[in-house]
Amino acid sequence: MKITLKHGSGGEESGRLIKDIFASVFDDEILLKMEDSAVLPPLHGNPVLTSDSFVVEPLFFKGGDIGKLSVCGTVNDLSSMGARPLYLTASFILETGLDADILEKIVQSMKETAEEAGVRIVAGDTKVIEGKGGLYINTAGVGERPSSRDISCRNMKSG
């Protein structure tokens, strides 16, 4: 199946794409509620939030793919601030002509990478635009860090 504008219309084709690829692969109890936002349990430390976008070509490259890169990049942003990564959102911009099998491989890669990193993908969004079969991913990540930890660029000093 090739992605068409119908997959981004919010109708039956959108529902099928979300159900058959995203929900079946990510399979998280918060995500499967299919609500507009994820309600997360209370954090014990300070919440840390990041957002990132991934635009690469080719989608698959030595050592990974855009899906793995998006999870690793977001987890890295949280970790570099001293946070334990907990939750991710993943929003996809799909170009028409994208092969659904490619999308499914990337989503599966994201799931495996998230499991390895110990994070849950709990919300997302999908949009379809005219194009030549490309794919772009935007993520947000939430982590928690102890109140006593103060990792920041402003704390860097010479020597």
Side-chain angles (χ1 to χ4, degrees), residues 24-75:
S24 69
V25 174
F26 290 151
D27 191 29
D28 183 274
E29 64 188 54
I30 295 173
L31 178 72
L32 292 178
K33 290 179 182 178
M34 296 295 173
E35 296 177 331
D36 283 341
S37 300
V39 177
L40 306 174
L43 299 177
H44 301 291
N46 291 328
V48 178
L49 174 68
T50 189
S51 179
D52 214 340
S53 296
F54 301 87
V55 179
V56 299
E57 195 175 319
L59 297 175
F60 297 90
F61 45 84
K62 185 176 182 176
D65 58 66
I66 191 173
K68 181 175 184 174
L69 178 65
S70 66
V71 172
C72 289
T74 308
V75 165

Side-chain angles (χ1 to χ4, degrees), residues 2 22 73 120:
K2 297 281 188 192
F22 298 110
R120 295 168 60 185

Side-chain angles (χ1 to χ4, degrees), residues 82-95:
R84 179 172 61 102
L86 298 171
Y87 305 103
L88 300 181
T89 68
S91 295
F92 297 81
I93 298 173
L94 311 175
E95 288 186 351

